[in-house]
Amino acid sequence: MSKISNSSDDLPAVDFDHLKKFESRINSAISEFEEKQCTGYSYQVIKNIQQEVDQYFLMNEKPDSKEFIDLMTQICTKLNENPIVDSINEQFQRKPSQKYSSYTNYISQPTQDLDIDEEIQIESFVHYKNHQVRYQELDNLQDLNLAKSHSNRSNLQQKLQQLNGNNINISTPAAVESVPTKSDFEIHMEKANSHIKDIEELLDSRKILAANRKVLKIEQILSECEELDLSEQQKKTIEEFKEKNFKLIELIKDETDLINYNLEVLQVEEGWITEKEKGKIKISYQYPDSNSLSLRMESELDLPLRNLLCLGNEFEYFKDYVPFVEEGKLVKDIRRASKIGYACMDVPMVSKRECYFYGTGYNLLDEIGSIPLVSKSIHSDPEFCRKIDLQIPKTTKYVRLEYKYYVFNIIPLGPNKCYVKIVLNVDYKIPLVPKSIQNWCARKFSLYFFERIIKKATNFAGTNWEKAMIKNKEFYDWLESQIQEFLKNCDLTDNSNTLQQAKDKIAVYLQKKKQEQQQDV
């Protein structure tokens, strides 16, 4: 311990109260880790404190007193030996005895050829550089040990040049000062902004559930920020972050709610009555309540997947296969695989019906192994229209029907094979026609509708859909790449097993979501 007595007289005197605050912050980080088990975040906090301790040790007087030595030893012991570091050691299979504090290494690894100030600067500098480059792993100080093994200044200077890419003057503290310490707040906000970038990319890829997990992480980060001792400027930064990203986060939440609602619709198995079975096609119906009818159409299909997706994406050609539709058109393109459409239907014996609807597709291949195409009517949802800046005419000469739900779920089973389930509940607003007659007609036309989908999607040669796929080649190539990437990692030798696994994944996801909601309550 005698080495410490050689501290320089021109360094500031040590502030013991400041050192004790380090110890208090370490204890708080350990308590938070034990409560929330946030290993990555807690380890980042510990490393942040570690850097501050290193810098404080370097830049202040090092008195040869028992109080200073005991306090520094206690702080560094807690930095090296705590549940957070133990967890990281276990994950990265590190040796628990590994130390990574400048102080502890300074005490335990004396150097014969350098004076004290130079040695401390090299240790701290190498330590900081290692943390910059490999901040997710414990610093094993190989670079430090290598630096200490050199016996002359030229070799040390060369080693530091390799680390920093610049000439470093090891005789002054400037090298260490060039690596600033980030506050807990800065680390939090960097993570939050990184998650925002990820969300934007996931939204563009239609991986909404993955984007929603990022939203939850941001909410956790902002909650943790509120527990910090923030300056007024930092509070302002948080408010600006919330305001800037409010619409994006709300969009992800709304899309997630829509996914969850339609997945629950898909999972309903009780109460269905078989209307018709023809080959692999099965048509069922049920009455969710006394005023509505739900229809379900399902089958394994041998046809190109992107043909099916094209049918759902090209609104202009609905009239070529959807019963009673005489006009379909695109109203507004919101983003990739997400847009507003309009359809007008000429239903026999009644006046024409129309509908403004939101049509979108989700890439849930990684989560549940399927691609749901979802539609909902929006002319009775002014809040939704406001969010997408859409003005729908308030007056019309036609009656507007309502979609309670309409989901078209596709589970890939091979490059040209899939399982399709369509579940819908539509109110055509025909109050003068008895419900029994409406329901009978809907049940009979459902088979006709499903067979037309299969017929049209089997071969696009010479059709409007073939032209659309050529015109929007970039979009459909992207669709194909997403499907092929998924199929590459699938076992396609047993389609029945693949199908059951996809169904099980939906059930597991919804069960987990239900448990999370119960915990929130």
Side-chain angles (χ1 to χ4, degrees):
M1 297 290 186
S2 60
K3 293 174 64 176
I4 295 180
S5 62
N6 293 328
S7 58
S8 176
D9 294 334
D10 58 354
L11 293 176
V14 67
D15 183 346
F16 285 92
D17 288 337
H18 189 80
L19 287 177
K20 290 175 182 177
K21 287 181 180 179
F22 286 134
E23 186 176 17
S24 176
R25 287 169 59 194
I26 296 168
N27 291 335
S28 296
I30 294 172
S31 297
E32 185 174 16
F33 167 76
E34 291 175 340
E35 178 183 350
K36 299 182 179 179
Q37 293 296 307
C38 300
T39 306
Y41 165 74
S42 299
Y43 180 53
Q44 189 68 46
V45 173
I46 285 292
K47 288 192 301 178
N48 185 47
I49 299 171
Q50 165 64 44
Q51 289 181 341
E52 292 182 42
V53 171
D54 277 355
Q55 192 171 35
Y56 191 83
F57 174 67
L58 170 69
M59 302 304 297
N60 289 269
E61 180 188 7
K62 288 160 275 295
D64 189 13
S65 69
K66 186 177 185 303
E67 181 184 10
F68 174 75
I69 294 172
D70 288 348
L71 184 55
M72 281 298 300
T73 301
Q74 187 172 340
I75 290 172
C76 292
T77 299
K78 285 190 175 182
L79 283 169
N80 285 279
E81 300 173 9
N82 60 66
I84 303 169
V85 173
D86 291 343
S87 178
I88 293 292
N89 282 339
E90 183 178 351
Q91 289 183 33
F92 290 96
Q93 298 181 342
R94 299 278 185 176
K95 295 180 180 180
S97 60
Q98 181 66 57
K99 307 296 182 184
Y100 61 104
S101 160
S102 289
Y103 173 78
T104 52
N105 280 284
Y106 170 72
I107 294 299
S108 62
Q109 300 182 33
T111 302
Q112 302 296 327
D113 302 293
L114 300 174
D115 64 43
I116 294 165
D117 288 339
E118 289 174 338
E119 178 190 355
I120 296 169
Q121 290 162 23
I122 292 169
E123 289 182 12
S124 296
F125 177 70
V126 175
H127 170 73
Y128 289 143
K129 295 304 294 185
N130 285 339
H131 272 293
Q132 272 193 314
V133 176
R134 297 190 302 273
Y135 67 92
Q136 289 183 332
E137 297 185 4
L138 289 175
D139 181 6
N140 59 20
L141 293 177
Q142 290 178 347
D143 291 326
L144 172 62
N145 294 332
L146 179 60
K148 286 189 172 187
S149 69
H150 289 275
S151 59
N152 59 69
R153 287 173 179 266
S154 62
N155 286 339
L156 283 170
Q157 185 77 24
Q158 182 180 6
K159 176 59 184 174
L160 292 175
Q161 288 175 6
Q162 292 173 358
L163 286 170
N164 195 47
N166 297 298
N167 290 327
I168 303 298
N169 182 0
I170 63 172
S171 63
T172 69
V176 178
E177 290 180 343
S178 67
V179 186
T181 300
K182 293 180 180 178
S183 68
D184 291 346
F185 175 77
E186 290 173 318
I187 293 171
H188 277 70
M189 295 312 297
E190 281 186 2
K191 288 181 179 179
N193 283 302
S194 176
H195 288 323
I196 288 294
K197 291 181 180 179
D198 292 340
I199 288 171
E200 290 171 342
E201 292 177 1
L202 291 167
L203 176 62
D204 188 54
S205 298
R206 304 306 294 156
K207 297 182 178 182
I208 302 300
L209 295 184
N212 190 59
R213 290 194 292 272
K214 295 287 184 179
V215 168
L216 296 177
K217 288 182 179 180
I218 289 175
E219 291 178 341
Q220 180 183 352
I221 288 171
L222 296 181
S223 176
E224 290 168 352
C225 279
E226 292 176 358
E227 298 176 5
L228 301 175
D229 185 13
L230 301 177
S231 67
E232 290 303 316
Q233 180 58 45
Q234 289 171 335
K235 292 177 182 178
K236 182 180 178 182
T237 299
I238 290 177
E239 291 305 314
E240 289 174 347
F241 175 88
K242 290 180 178 179
E243 183 178 352
K244 178 182 177 181
N245 299 296
F246 174 78
K247 288 186 177 180
L248 176 63
I249 290 175
E250 285 300 300
L251 170 64
I252 298 301
K253 289 182 177 180
D254 290 345
E255 295 272 38
T256 301
D257 288 343
L258 185 60
I259 289 173
N260 291 339
Y261 176 74
N262 282 278
L263 289 182
E264 288 174 358
V265 167
L266 285 172
Q267 281 300 99
V268 174
E269 291 296 336
E270 296 181 356
W272 290 103
I273 303 168
T274 300
E275 169 68 23
K276 182 77 173 180
E277 289 189 65
K278 184 178 180 181
K280 294 182 179 181
I281 300 174
K282 183 177 181 180
I283 309 296
S284 309
Y285 68 94
Q286 69 166 229
Y287 299 99
D289 53 63
S290 59
N291 295 316
S292 67
L293 170 75
S294 293
L295 294 169
R296 183 173 73 180
M297 296 152 265
E298 56 188 317
S299 180
E300 282 190 25
L301 304 177
D302 295 308
L303 48 79
L305 271 67
R306 70 174 183 173
N307 286 11
L308 272 178
L309 295 170
C310 182
L311 283 181
N313 186 60
E314 302 297 335
F315 298 164
E316 294 86 343
Y317 309 125
F318 277 3
K319 63 182 183 296
D320 293 337
Y321 72 96
V322 181
F324 310 130
V325 171
E326 71 170 18
E327 180 188 8
K329 65 180 180 181
L330 173 67
V331 175
K332 183 174 183 177
D333 204 340
I334 301 176
R335 66 187 62 83
R336 177 185 280 177
S338 184
K339 47 194 180 180
I340 304 300
Y342 169 84
C344 180
M345 281 146 280
D346 189 3
V347 182
M349 297 182 292
V350 296
S351 61
K352 292 182 179 180
R353 266 53 183 161
E354 69 175 6
C355 179
Y356 287 88
F357 61 91
Y358 175 54
T360 186
Y362 299 110
N363 181 355
L364 305 187
L365 293 170
D366 293 337
E367 280 85 1
I368 60 174
S370 73
I371 305 171
L373 307 182
V374 171
S375 179
K376 70 170 186 175
S377 55
I378 60 171
H379 40 255
S380 299
D381 190 348
E383 179 64 16
F384 179 87
C385 294
R386 182 190 64 78
K387 289 180 179 180
I388 62 172
D389 192 25
L390 178 68
Q391 296 288 333
I392 294 178
K394 293 183 179 180
T395 59
T396 176
K397 59 183 178 180
Y398 303 137
V399 176
R400 287 177 175 166
L401 57 81
E402 296 287 347
Y403 287 81
K404 189 174 181 180
Y405 45 79
Y406 189 119
V407 56
F408 189 126
N409 194 45
I410 303 172
I411 298 176
L413 300 176
N416 295 296
K417 191 179 188 67
C418 62
Y419 168 81
V420 170
K421 179 191 283 187
I422 304 173
V423 183
L424 58 91
N425 184 294
V426 181
D427 182 358
Y428 282 91
K429 301 292 183 181
I430 314 176
L432 298 181
V433 178
K435 283 290 182 182
S436 58
I437 296 178
Q438 293 184 47
N439 295 340
W440 181 85
C441 292
R443 283 156 34 199
K444 298 306 177 185
F445 274 102
S446 58
L447 177 61
Y448 171 72
F449 171 48
F450 200 56
E451 287 182 326
R452 284 180 68 84
I453 290 175
I454 297 171
K455 180 179 179 180
K456 296 296 183 181
T458 300
N459 186 1
F460 274 180
T463 67
N464 288 324
W465 293 290
E466 182 184 45
K467 296 174 184 176
M469 292 176 75
I470 294 172
K471 181 180 179 181
N472 300 320
K473 185 177 185 301
E474 181 180 354
F475 172 72
Y476 287 105
D477 284 351
W478 169 78
L479 276 181
E480 185 69 20
S481 69
Q482 301 299 303
I483 295 169
Q484 294 305 322
E485 182 66 25
F486 171 73
L487 292 175
K488 184 172 63 177
N489 300 315
C490 288
D491 179 9
L492 303 176
T493 57
D494 186 352
N495 285 333
S496 61
N497 185 50
T498 302
L499 179 57
Q500 188 58 49
Q501 286 178 350
K503 292 180 178 179
D504 291 344
K505 285 180 180 179
I506 297 177
V508 170
Y509 168 77
L510 291 175
Q511 180 62 29
K512 182 179 179 182
K513 180 62 62 177
K514 184 178 180 180
Q515 291 173 350
E516 290 173 352
Q517 291 172 345
Q518 291 173 344
Q519 289 174 357
D520 291 341
V521 172

